Amino acid sequence: MSGFVGHFTNRIDAKGRVSVPAPFRAELARDGYDGLFCIAVPDLGTIDAGGNALRETLDRHIAQFEPLSFDHNYLSTALLGLSEQLRIDADGRISLTDTLKEAAGIDAQVTFVGQGFKFQIWTPERFAEHRAEALRRVQSLRRGAGAPSSGPDGGGHT
Amino acid sequence: MSGFVGHFTNRIDAKGRVSVPAPFRAELARDGYDGLFCIAVPDLGTIDAGGNALRETLDRHIAQFEPLSFDHNYLSTALLGLSEQLRIDADGRISLTDTLKEAAGIDAQVTFVGQGFKFQIWTPERFAEHRAEALRRVQSLRRGAGAPSSGPDGGGHT
DNA sequence: TGGGATATCATGGAGTCCTATGGGCGTCAA
DNA sequence: TTGACGCCCATAGGACTCCATGATATCCCA
């Protein structure tokens, strides 16, 4: 269970394609998922991506509600309806949809960031900020600023 | 076990036909259902659609009530009255009935929204509103401590 | 240990296939 | 007869397949 680890920056070509880092592809293959499951994270301006492990996490949340209830409906709309199922071509590339690109502000390059059971897709610029913010939070935590954060990037795992 | 995922907007042609998105058709084929089962959802102003998985969910829902009870009777009558069995033509298109179109306020375009075991058919306008509400609810879920974390970083979609 | 051979990977491009969409035509029923 | 419907074909644009290339990392053997 190695999961997605490390970060890689790749270029988007003229046809809108970008290579998924080989280690991530290997992990997806291990996971047995066909394609790449992606969902925008509006609060962070990034994209969550992964395979079965990510899907199962979302499905578990949805499964808490009665299948035909309003809650179930809203949750599955937000988590499944607003997500995208991308195909990975023979060369290991994906084509991000306009919706996803817009949600993450992506244009020419993307940074893939491993997060264990899933990974994120950022613009290099936003990831740099996000990373700096993450470090700041960890530092203030060290100074004993208060309760352990449960907010975005509360320290990442590993 | 991919289910219906993602959302697609297609046009209704002069003859009242509209293409079912290819990924959804593939899922219906996997599900082994011939045609498309549709049922209006008056409370939301949309249409639920799917194959065997949706049928079975409805059946289970009805089965919660005593077979000879009034509740069972009303519920099955209501559901049967609101449902339609549509044919999918050789080009992957359906023709929505007037009843269904009216229930969802459909005229020129429709948006198909995946929800796992089923999908919904909206007007693009109504879906935009519904989508905003769905995102709001997911956000408050995230902030409310209640839902289980989708990961150690808390940045997931809870 | 060094250097060449090999494998892997990201990237670019050409061509083919698929999909959504529009329209024609025959059939059946009102 | 007329309109709704099922079936067929046409097409433009996008999506996917396949092939080529350069760069980098890895391995093997002298």
Side-chain angles (χ1 to χ4, degrees):
Chain A
M1 204 280 268
S2 43
F4 300 101
V5 177
H7 62 277
F8 311 84
T9 298
N10 289 338
R11 194 168 315 155
I12 295 181
D13 71 15
K15 295 165 81 174
R17 303 173 300 185
V18 61
S19 291
V20 176
F24 288 8
R25 293 206 302 267
E27 180 61 26
L28 286 169
R30 229 167 318 186
D31 182 72
Y33 197 73
D34 181 38
L36 182 65
F37 183 84
C38 293
I39 180 165
V41 185
D43 296 326
L44 294 176
T46 184
I47 301 165
D48 271 0
N52 282 316
L54 175 57
R55 263 304 292 275
E56 282 163 15
T57 303
L58 302 185
D59 287 343
R60 260 197 303 281
H61 294 158
I62 295 173
Q64 293 177 322
F65 300 99
E66 269 295 309
L68 296 175
S69 66
F70 275 29
D71 286 331
H72 185 284
N73 179 74
Y74 280 114
L75 203 56
S76 56
T77 296
L79 299 189
L80 296 181
L82 298 181
S83 63
E84 309 268 0
Q85 173 74 36
L86 301 185
R87 210 176 291 269
I88 301 184
D89 72 17
D91 299 324
R93 288 181 282 197
I94 54 171
S95 293
L96 292 171
T97 64
D98 291 341
T99 310
L100 289 175
K101 283 196 234 173
E102 192 181 343
I106 290 167
D107 49 7
Q109 284 193 321
V110 294
T111 298
F112 297 85
V113 182
Q115 296 196 325
F117 74 104
K118 67 178 171 69
F119 60 91
Q120 290 182 330
I121 304 177
W122 294 82
T123 65
E125 300 77 27
R126 280 197 195 170
F127 176 61
E129 295 169 20
H130 183 71
R131 178 186 200 157
E133 172 65 20
L135 289 176
R136 269 195 298 278
R137 290 198 185 211
V138 171
Q139 282 190 335
S140 62
L141 263 186
R142 284 219 191 95
R143 281 192 282 269
S149 166
S150 66
D153 229 322
H157 35 94
T158 65
Chain B
M1 197 288 278
S2 42
F4 301 101
V5 172
H7 62 280
F8 310 86
T9 297
N10 289 339
R11 196 168 313 156
I12 295 181
D13 71 14
K15 296 163 85 171
R17 303 171 300 185
V18 62
S19 291
V20 176
F24 288 8
R25 293 206 301 268
E27 181 62 26
L28 287 169
R30 229 167 300 158
D31 183 70
Y33 197 74
D34 181 40
L36 183 64
F37 180 80
C38 293
I39 179 164
V41 186
D43 296 322
L44 291 174
T46 184
I47 301 166
D48 272 357
N52 285 316
L54 174 57
R55 288 288 309 257
E56 285 162 16
T57 303
L58 282 171
D59 289 343
R60 261 197 302 279
H61 192 242
I62 296 175
Q64 291 177 329
F65 300 93
E66 269 299 308
L68 294 178
S69 68
F70 284 128
D71 284 339
H72 185 284
N73 188 10
Y74 282 128
L75 193 57
S76 53
T77 300
L79 292 185
L80 282 179
L82 292 172
S83 65
E84 310 260 4
Q85 170 73 31
L86 300 185
R87 188 187 310 274
I88 300 183
D89 73 16
D91 299 325
R93 287 181 282 198
I94 54 172
S95 292
L96 293 171
T97 64
D98 289 341
T99 310
L100 288 174
K101 283 197 231 173
E102 192 181 341
I106 290 167
D107 49 6
Q109 283 193 321
V110 293
T111 298
F112 297 84
V113 183
Q115 296 193 320
F117 72 100
K118 68 179 170 72
F119 61 92
Q120 290 182 328
I121 305 177
W122 293 83
T123 65
E125 300 76 27
R126 281 195 195 170
F127 176 62
E129 298 169 17
H130 186 73
R131 162 195 194 135
E133 174 65 19
L135 287 175
R136 257 197 306 279
R137 293 194 178 214
V138 171
Q139 276 198 332
S140 59
L141 251 187
R142 254 188 225 147
R143 282 192 272 270
S149 164
S150 70
D153 62 358
H157 323 278
T158 308

Short mmCIF file of all heavy atoms in Angstrom, two decimals, chain B residues 82-131:
data_model
loop_
_atom_site.label_atom_id
_atom_site.label_comp_id
_atom_site.label_asym_id
_atom_site.label_seq_id
_atom_site.Cartn_x
_atom_site.Cartn_y
_atom_site.Cartn_z
N LEU B 82 -45.65 8.16 -12.59
CA LEU B 82 -44.62 9.15 -12.92
C LEU B 82 -43.50 8.56 -13.79
O LEU B 82 -42.62 9.28 -14.24
CB LEU B 82 -44.01 9.70 -11.63
CG LEU B 82 -44.93 10.55 -10.76
CD1 LEU B 82 -44.27 10.87 -9.44
CD2 LEU B 82 -45.32 11.83 -11.49
N SER B 83 -43.54 7.27 -14.01
CA SER B 83 -42.41 6.65 -14.70
C SER B 83 -42.72 6.33 -16.15
O SER B 83 -43.88 6.19 -16.55
CB SER B 83 -41.98 5.37 -13.98
OG SER B 83 -43.02 4.42 -14.05
N GLU B 84 -41.69 6.25 -16.93
CA GLU B 84 -41.82 5.95 -18.36
C GLU B 84 -40.68 5.02 -18.77
O GLU B 84 -39.59 5.09 -18.22
CB GLU B 84 -41.68 7.24 -19.19
CG GLU B 84 -42.55 8.38 -18.73
CD GLU B 84 -43.79 8.53 -19.56
OE1 GLU B 84 -44.00 7.68 -20.46
OE2 GLU B 84 -44.56 9.48 -19.32
N GLN B 85 -40.98 4.22 -19.76
CA GLN B 85 -39.96 3.34 -20.31
C GLN B 85 -39.62 3.87 -21.70
O GLN B 85 -40.43 3.80 -22.61
CB GLN B 85 -40.51 1.91 -20.40
CG GLN B 85 -39.63 0.95 -21.17
CD GLN B 85 -38.40 0.58 -20.37
OE1 GLN B 85 -38.43 0.54 -19.15
NE2 GLN B 85 -37.30 0.35 -21.07
N LEU B 86 -38.42 4.43 -21.87
CA LEU B 86 -38.07 5.01 -23.15
C LEU B 86 -37.18 4.08 -23.98
O LEU B 86 -36.38 3.33 -23.44
CB LEU B 86 -37.32 6.34 -22.94
CG LEU B 86 -38.08 7.43 -22.19
CD1 LEU B 86 -37.27 8.70 -22.17
CD2 LEU B 86 -39.45 7.67 -22.81
N ARG B 87 -37.38 4.19 -25.28
CA ARG B 87 -36.55 3.42 -26.20
C ARG B 87 -35.31 4.23 -26.57
O ARG B 87 -35.38 5.44 -26.73
CB ARG B 87 -37.39 3.14 -27.45
CG ARG B 87 -36.78 2.20 -28.44
CD ARG B 87 -37.65 2.18 -29.70
NE ARG B 87 -39.06 1.98 -29.38
CZ ARG B 87 -39.60 0.77 -29.22
NH1 ARG B 87 -38.86 -0.30 -29.36
NH2 ARG B 87 -40.88 0.65 -28.93
N ILE B 88 -34.18 3.56 -26.68
CA ILE B 88 -32.97 4.22 -27.16
C ILE B 88 -32.72 3.77 -28.59
O ILE B 88 -32.59 2.58 -28.85
CB ILE B 88 -31.76 3.87 -26.28
CG1 ILE B 88 -32.01 4.32 -24.84
CG2 ILE B 88 -30.49 4.52 -26.81
CD1 ILE B 88 -30.85 4.08 -23.91
N ASP B 89 -32.69 4.71 -29.52
CA ASP B 89 -32.57 4.33 -30.93
C ASP B 89 -31.14 3.93 -31.29
O ASP B 89 -30.24 3.96 -30.46
CB ASP B 89 -33.13 5.43 -31.85
CG ASP B 89 -32.20 6.65 -31.93
OD1 ASP B 89 -31.02 6.53 -31.54
OD2 ASP B 89 -32.66 7.71 -32.37
N ALA B 90 -30.97 3.56 -32.55
CA ALA B 90 -29.67 3.03 -32.99
C ALA B 90 -28.55 4.05 -32.83
O ALA B 90 -27.37 3.67 -32.72
CB ALA B 90 -29.77 2.59 -34.45
N ASP B 91 -28.89 5.33 -32.80
CA ASP B 91 -27.88 6.36 -32.66
C ASP B 91 -27.71 6.82 -31.21
O ASP B 91 -27.03 7.81 -30.96
CB ASP B 91 -28.24 7.57 -33.54
CG ASP B 91 -28.30 7.17 -35.00
OD1 ASP B 91 -27.50 6.32 -35.40
OD2 ASP B 91 -29.14 7.72 -35.72
N GLY B 92 -28.35 6.11 -30.30
CA GLY B 92 -28.20 6.44 -28.89
C GLY B 92 -29.06 7.59 -28.42
O GLY B 92 -28.74 8.25 -27.44
N ARG B 93 -30.17 7.84 -29.13
CA ARG B 93 -31.01 8.97 -28.74
C ARG B 93 -32.33 8.51 -28.13
O ARG B 93 -32.82 7.42 -28.43
CB ARG B 93 -31.32 9.84 -29.96
CG ARG B 93 -30.12 10.63 -30.39
CD ARG B 93 -30.44 11.51 -31.57
NE ARG B 93 -30.47 10.79 -32.81
CZ ARG B 93 -30.39 11.38 -34.00
NH1 ARG B 93 -30.29 12.69 -34.09
NH2 ARG B 93 -30.40 10.67 -35.10
N ILE B 94 -32.90 9.37 -27.30
CA ILE B 94 -34.22 9.12 -26.74
C ILE B 94 -35.15 10.26 -27.13
O ILE B 94 -34.69 11.34 -27.54
CB ILE B 94 -34.18 9.03 -25.19
CG1 ILE B 94 -33.51 10.29 -24.62
CG2 ILE B 94 -33.47 7.78 -24.75
CD1 ILE B 94 -33.60 10.41 -23.13
N SER B 95 -36.44 10.01 -27.02
CA SER B 95 -37.44 11.07 -27.18
C SER B 95 -38.21 11.17 -25.88
O SER B 95 -38.95 10.26 -25.51
CB SER B 95 -38.40 10.72 -28.33
OG SER B 95 -37.73 10.75 -29.57
N LEU B 96 -37.99 12.27 -25.18
CA LEU B 96 -38.70 12.47 -23.92
C LEU B 96 -40.19 12.68 -24.19
O LEU B 96 -40.55 13.36 -25.16
CB LEU B 96 -38.13 13.68 -23.18
CG LEU B 96 -36.70 13.53 -22.67
CD1 LEU B 96 -36.17 14.86 -22.16
CD2 LEU B 96 -36.63 12.48 -21.57
N THR B 97 -41.03 12.11 -23.36
CA THR B 97 -42.47 12.33 -23.51
C THR B 97 -42.83 13.73 -23.02
O THR B 97 -42.07 14.37 -22.29
CB THR B 97 -43.25 11.30 -22.67
OG1 THR B 97 -42.95 11.54 -21.29
CG2 THR B 97 -42.87 9.88 -23.04
N ASP B 98 -44.00 14.18 -23.42
CA ASP B 98 -44.45 15.51 -22.99
C ASP B 98 -44.57 15.58 -21.47
O ASP B 98 -44.26 16.60 -20.86
CB ASP B 98 -45.80 15.84 -23.65
CG ASP B 98 -45.63 16.09 -25.14
OD1 ASP B 98 -44.49 16.37 -25.57
OD2 ASP B 98 -46.63 15.99 -25.87
N THR B 99 -45.04 14.49 -20.89
CA THR B 99 -45.18 14.44 -19.44
C THR B 99 -43.84 14.68 -18.74
O THR B 99 -43.75 15.50 -17.82
CB THR B 99 -45.71 13.05 -19.02
OG1 THR B 99 -46.86 12.73 -19.79
CG2 THR B 99 -46.06 13.05 -17.54
N LEU B 100 -42.84 14.00 -19.21
CA LEU B 100 -41.52 14.16 -18.59
C LEU B 100 -40.96 15.55 -18.83
O LEU B 100 -40.42 16.19 -17.93
CB LEU B 100 -40.54 13.11 -19.15
CG LEU B 100 -40.78 11.67 -18.71
CD1 LEU B 100 -39.84 10.72 -19.43
CD2 LEU B 100 -40.61 11.54 -17.20
N LYS B 101 -41.12 16.03 -20.07
CA LYS B 101 -40.60 17.36 -20.37
C LYS B 101 -41.25 18.41 -19.49
O LYS B 101 -40.58 19.32 -18.99
CB LYS B 101 -40.86 17.69 -21.84
CG LYS B 101 -39.91 17.00 -22.80
CD LYS B 101 -39.95 17.69 -24.14
CE LYS B 101 -40.16 16.68 -25.26
NZ LYS B 101 -40.36 17.30 -26.57
N GLU B 102 -42.54 18.25 -19.32
CA GLU B 102 -43.26 19.23 -18.50
C GLU B 102 -42.80 19.17 -17.05
O GLU B 102 -42.59 20.20 -16.40
CB GLU B 102 -44.76 18.95 -18.59
CG GLU B 102 -45.60 20.06 -18.02
CD GLU B 102 -47.08 19.72 -18.13
OE1 GLU B 102 -47.41 18.83 -18.95
OE2 GLU B 102 -47.88 20.32 -17.41
N ALA B 103 -42.61 17.97 -16.56
CA ALA B 103 -42.20 17.79 -15.16
C ALA B 103 -40.86 18.46 -14.89
O ALA B 103 -40.59 18.92 -13.78
CB ALA B 103 -42.14 16.30 -14.81
N ALA B 104 -40.00 18.50 -15.91
CA ALA B 104 -38.66 19.05 -15.70
C ALA B 104 -38.50 20.41 -16.37
O ALA B 104 -37.43 21.00 -16.30
CB ALA B 104 -37.61 18.08 -16.23
N GLY B 105 -39.55 20.90 -17.01
CA GLY B 105 -39.47 22.21 -17.65
C GLY B 105 -38.56 22.25 -18.85
O GLY B 105 -37.98 23.28 -19.19
N ILE B 106 -38.43 21.13 -19.53
CA ILE B 106 -37.46 21.00 -20.61
C ILE B 106 -37.98 21.55 -21.93
O ILE B 106 -39.14 21.35 -22.29
CB ILE B 106 -37.08 19.51 -20.79
CG1 ILE B 106 -36.25 19.05 -19.59
CG2 ILE B 106 -36.34 19.28 -22.09
CD1 ILE B 106 -36.08 17.56 -19.50
N ASP B 107 -37.10 22.27 -22.65
CA ASP B 107 -37.47 22.70 -24.00
C ASP B 107 -36.38 22.42 -25.03
O ASP B 107 -36.49 21.50 -25.84
CB ASP B 107 -37.88 24.17 -24.01
CG ASP B 107 -36.84 25.03 -23.30
OD1 ASP B 107 -35.78 24.48 -22.91
OD2 ASP B 107 -37.07 26.23 -23.13
N ALA B 108 -35.29 23.18 -25.00
CA ALA B 108 -34.31 23.07 -26.09
C ALA B 108 -33.08 22.25 -25.74
O ALA B 108 -32.49 21.61 -26.60
CB ALA B 108 -33.89 24.46 -26.53
N GLN B 109 -32.69 22.29 -24.47
CA GLN B 109 -31.46 21.60 -24.08
C GLN B 109 -31.68 20.84 -22.78
O GLN B 109 -32.52 21.22 -21.96
CB GLN B 109 -30.32 22.59 -23.88
CG GLN B 109 -29.71 23.08 -25.18
CD GLN B 109 -28.41 23.80 -24.93
OE1 GLN B 109 -28.27 24.53 -23.96
NE2 GLN B 109 -27.44 23.58 -25.80
N VAL B 110 -30.89 19.80 -22.59
CA VAL B 110 -30.97 19.07 -21.33
C VAL B 110 -29.56 18.77 -20.82
O VAL B 110 -28.63 18.60 -21.60
CB VAL B 110 -31.73 17.73 -21.47
CG1 VAL B 110 -33.19 17.98 -21.77
CG2 VAL B 110 -31.11 16.85 -22.52
N THR B 111 -29.45 18.71 -19.49
CA THR B 111 -28.19 18.36 -18.85
C THR B 111 -28.34 17.03 -18.14
O THR B 111 -29.24 16.86 -17.31
CB THR B 111 -27.78 19.45 -17.85
OG1 THR B 111 -27.59 20.69 -18.53
CG2 THR B 111 -26.48 19.08 -17.15
N PHE B 112 -27.49 16.09 -18.48
CA PHE B 112 -27.48 14.78 -17.84
C PHE B 112 -26.47 14.81 -16.70
O PHE B 112 -25.32 15.18 -16.92
CB PHE B 112 -27.07 13.70 -18.85
CG PHE B 112 -28.01 13.55 -20.02
CD1 PHE B 112 -27.91 14.37 -21.13
CD2 PHE B 112 -29.01 12.58 -20.00
CE1 PHE B 112 -28.77 14.23 -22.21
CE2 PHE B 112 -29.87 12.42 -21.08
CZ PHE B 112 -29.76 13.25 -22.19
N VAL B 113 -26.91 14.40 -15.51
CA VAL B 113 -26.04 14.48 -14.34
C VAL B 113 -25.92 13.12 -13.67
O VAL B 113 -26.91 12.57 -13.17
CB VAL B 113 -26.60 15.49 -13.32
CG1 VAL B 113 -25.65 15.62 -12.13
CG2 VAL B 113 -26.81 16.85 -13.97
N GLY B 114 -24.71 12.58 -13.65
CA GLY B 114 -24.47 11.27 -13.05
C GLY B 114 -24.61 11.29 -11.54
O GLY B 114 -24.19 12.23 -10.89
N GLN B 115 -25.23 10.24 -11.01
CA GLN B 115 -25.38 10.11 -9.55
C GLN B 115 -25.12 8.68 -9.12
O GLN B 115 -25.80 8.16 -8.24
CB GLN B 115 -26.78 10.54 -9.13
CG GLN B 115 -27.08 11.99 -9.40
CD GLN B 115 -28.33 12.45 -8.70
OE1 GLN B 115 -29.31 11.71 -8.66
NE2 GLN B 115 -28.30 13.64 -8.15
N GLY B 116 -24.16 8.04 -9.75
CA GLY B 116 -23.83 6.68 -9.36
C GLY B 116 -24.78 5.66 -9.96
O GLY B 116 -24.65 5.31 -11.12
N PHE B 117 -25.74 5.21 -9.19
CA PHE B 117 -26.63 4.15 -9.68
C PHE B 117 -27.70 4.68 -10.62
O PHE B 117 -28.40 3.91 -11.26
CB PHE B 117 -27.28 3.42 -8.49
CG PHE B 117 -28.32 4.22 -7.78
CD1 PHE B 117 -29.67 4.02 -8.01
CD2 PHE B 117 -27.94 5.19 -6.86
CE1 PHE B 117 -30.63 4.76 -7.35
CE2 PHE B 117 -28.90 5.94 -6.19
CZ PHE B 117 -30.25 5.74 -6.44
N LYS B 118 -27.83 6.01 -10.70
CA LYS B 118 -28.79 6.61 -11.63
C LYS B 118 -28.23 7.93 -12.13
O LYS B 118 -27.15 8.35 -11.71
CB LYS B 118 -30.14 6.84 -10.93
CG LYS B 118 -30.11 7.92 -9.85
CD LYS B 118 -31.48 8.10 -9.25
CE LYS B 118 -31.48 8.99 -8.01
NZ LYS B 118 -31.25 10.42 -8.28
N PHE B 119 -28.94 8.57 -13.03
CA PHE B 119 -28.57 9.93 -13.39
C PHE B 119 -29.83 10.76 -13.52
O PHE B 119 -30.94 10.23 -13.57
CB PHE B 119 -27.73 9.98 -14.67
CG PHE B 119 -28.41 9.45 -15.90
CD1 PHE B 119 -29.11 10.28 -16.75
CD2 PHE B 119 -28.32 8.10 -16.23
CE1 PHE B 119 -29.72 9.79 -17.91
CE2 PHE B 119 -28.92 7.60 -17.38
CZ PHE B 119 -29.63 8.45 -18.22
N GLN B 120 -29.67 12.08 -13.56
CA GLN B 120 -30.82 12.97 -13.66
C GLN B 120 -30.77 13.77 -14.95
O GLN B 120 -29.71 13.99 -15.52
CB GLN B 120 -30.88 13.91 -12.44
CG GLN B 120 -31.23 13.16 -11.17
CD GLN B 120 -31.36 14.06 -9.96
OE1 GLN B 120 -30.67 15.06 -9.85
NE2 GLN B 120 -32.23 13.68 -9.03
N ILE B 121 -31.96 14.19 -15.39
CA ILE B 121 -32.07 14.98 -16.61
C ILE B 121 -32.71 16.31 -16.23
O ILE B 121 -33.84 16.36 -15.76
CB ILE B 121 -32.94 14.25 -17.66
CG1 ILE B 121 -32.37 12.85 -17.93
CG2 ILE B 121 -33.01 15.05 -18.95
CD1 ILE B 121 -33.19 12.02 -18.91
N TRP B 122 -31.95 17.39 -16.43
CA TRP B 122 -32.36 18.73 -16.02
C TRP B 122 -32.39 19.67 -17.22
O TRP B 122 -31.74 19.41 -18.23
CB TRP B 122 -31.34 19.32 -15.05
CG TRP B 122 -31.21 18.67 -13.72
CD1 TRP B 122 -30.47 17.56 -13.42
CD2 TRP B 122 -31.82 19.09 -12.49
NE1 TRP B 122 -30.59 17.28 -12.09
CE2 TRP B 122 -31.40 18.18 -11.50
CE3 TRP B 122 -32.67 20.14 -12.15
CZ2 TRP B 122 -31.80 18.31 -10.16
CZ3 TRP B 122 -33.07 20.26 -10.82
CH2 TRP B 122 -32.64 19.35 -9.85
N THR B 123 -33.04 20.79 -17.06
CA THR B 123 -32.75 21.90 -17.95
C THR B 123 -31.43 22.49 -17.43
O THR B 123 -31.18 22.46 -16.23
CB THR B 123 -33.82 23.00 -17.90
OG1 THR B 123 -33.80 23.59 -16.60
CG2 THR B 123 -35.20 22.45 -18.18
N PRO B 124 -30.60 23.01 -18.32
CA PRO B 124 -29.33 23.59 -17.88
C PRO B 124 -29.54 24.66 -16.80
O PRO B 124 -28.74 24.74 -15.86
CB PRO B 124 -28.76 24.19 -19.17
CG PRO B 124 -29.35 23.38 -20.25
CD PRO B 124 -30.73 23.00 -19.78
N GLU B 125 -30.61 25.43 -16.93
CA GLU B 125 -30.84 26.52 -15.99
C GLU B 125 -31.14 25.99 -14.60
O GLU B 125 -30.55 26.41 -13.60
CB GLU B 125 -32.01 27.40 -16.45
CG GLU B 125 -31.79 28.05 -17.81
CD GLU B 125 -31.99 27.07 -18.96
OE1 GLU B 125 -32.74 26.09 -18.78
OE2 GLU B 125 -31.36 27.25 -20.02
N ARG B 126 -32.07 25.06 -14.52
CA ARG B 126 -32.42 24.51 -13.21
C ARG B 126 -31.23 23.80 -12.60
O ARG B 126 -31.03 23.84 -11.39
CB ARG B 126 -33.60 23.54 -13.33
CG ARG B 126 -34.92 24.24 -13.44
CD ARG B 126 -36.05 23.26 -13.18
NE ARG B 126 -37.32 23.85 -13.62
CZ ARG B 126 -38.45 23.16 -13.69
NH1 ARG B 126 -38.48 21.88 -13.40
NH2 ARG B 126 -39.56 23.76 -14.08
N PHE B 127 -30.48 23.13 -13.44
CA PHE B 127 -29.34 22.40 -12.88
C PHE B 127 -28.32 23.36 -12.27
O PHE B 127 -27.71 23.05 -11.26
CB PHE B 127 -28.66 21.51 -13.92
CG PHE B 127 -27.44 20.84 -13.38
CD1 PHE B 127 -27.53 19.96 -12.32
CD2 PHE B 127 -26.18 21.11 -13.91
CE1 PHE B 127 -26.41 19.34 -11.79
CE2 PHE B 127 -25.05 20.51 -13.37
CZ PHE B 127 -25.17 19.62 -12.32
N ALA B 128 -28.14 24.50 -12.90
CA ALA B 128 -27.20 25.48 -12.36
C ALA B 128 -27.58 25.85 -10.93
O ALA B 128 -26.71 25.92 -10.05
CB ALA B 128 -27.17 26.72 -13.26
N GLU B 129 -28.87 26.04 -10.69
CA GLU B 129 -29.32 26.37 -9.33
C GLU B 129 -29.10 25.18 -8.39
O GLU B 129 -28.60 25.33 -7.28
CB GLU B 129 -30.80 26.71 -9.34
CG GLU B 129 -31.16 27.93 -10.17
CD GLU B 129 -32.66 28.06 -10.35
OE1 GLU B 129 -33.40 27.42 -9.57
OE2 GLU B 129 -33.09 28.77 -11.28
N HIS B 130 -29.51 24.03 -8.88
CA HIS B 130 -29.40 22.83 -8.06
C HIS B 130 -27.95 22.55 -7.68
O HIS B 130 -27.63 22.18 -6.56
CB HIS B 130 -29.98 21.65 -8.83
CG HIS B 130 -30.05 20.39 -8.03
ND1 HIS B 130 -30.97 20.21 -7.02
CD2 HIS B 130 -29.32 19.25 -8.07
CE1 HIS B 130 -30.81 19.00 -6.49
NE2 HIS B 130 -29.80 18.40 -7.10
N ARG B 131 -27.08 22.77 -8.66
CA ARG B 131 -25.66 22.55 -8.45
C ARG B 131 -25.11 23.48 -7.36
O ARG B 131 -24.34 23.06 -6.50
CB ARG B 131 -24.96 22.82 -9.78
CG ARG B 131 -23.52 23.07 -9.70
CD ARG B 131 -23.05 23.67 -11.03
NE ARG B 131 -21.62 23.62 -11.12
CZ ARG B 131 -20.94 23.23 -12.19
NH1 ARG B 131 -21.59 22.86 -13.27
NH2 ARG B 131 -19.65 23.18 -12.19
#
